[in-house]
Amino acid sequence: MSERFTIATEPHDPAVQQALVDALVAFSRAKVGRPEPIRFQVVARNGDGTLLGGASAKFHFDVLFLDDLWVADSLRGAGLGTALMRAFETRGRELGARLAWLDTMSWQARPFYEKLGYTVFGELPYSGGAHTQFFLRKFL
């Protein structure tokens, strides 16, 4: 390398993060025609519009990713989470998804996702093995 440079650790800067993302997206688009992800949410509200639960997700290439799923404490175990996941998967199929994936921590909802047909394809230990992040997938 003929160009001189320095390497330093810096505090988080959203502008730097965006510049990195923009450069990586441009590189990926040049290589494989990387499409823009389609982001969407599936939400449950009561009659006055209060949020009772929801899922945020993105569809990219032909894969659906669940960013977050939340259900109000008072409605856990009542079927709302399952209904939200079914709506998430339905929207993914409409967009052309062949696979859905997500991650969850050991204290969260792994058994719930497994009941819905998701299977673990990877694990990452945290806190010296006290916790585990699980990566799950389901072919749609």
Side-chain angles (χ1 to χ4, degrees), residues 25 37 54 56 58 79 81 84 97 124:
V25 167
S56 61
K58 66 183 165 204
L84 290 166
L124 184 63

Side-chain angles (χ1 to χ4, degrees), residues 17-90:
Q17 182 176 357
Q18 190 60 54
L20 295 170
V21 168
D22 292 346
L24 186 56
V25 167
F27 172 82
S28 296
R29 280 208 176 104
K31 296 291 182 188
V32 295
R34 180 184 187 267
E36 281 295 322
I38 297 171
R39 295 185 178 276
F40 66 93
Q41 296 164 325
V42 176
V43 297
R45 297 181 186 276
N46 68 10
D48 68 7
T50 301
L51 186 65
L52 302 174
S56 61
K58 66 183 165 204
F59 170 74
H60 199 214
F61 290 99
D62 59 352
V63 177
L64 184 60
F65 177 69
L66 180 70
D67 289 307
D68 297 295
L69 175 68
W70 172 77
V71 173
D73 290 345
S74 63
L75 293 171
R76 290 192 180 163
L80 180 56
T82 298
L84 290 166
M85 287 298 294
R86 297 229 188 281
F88 156 77
E89 292 172 2
T90 296

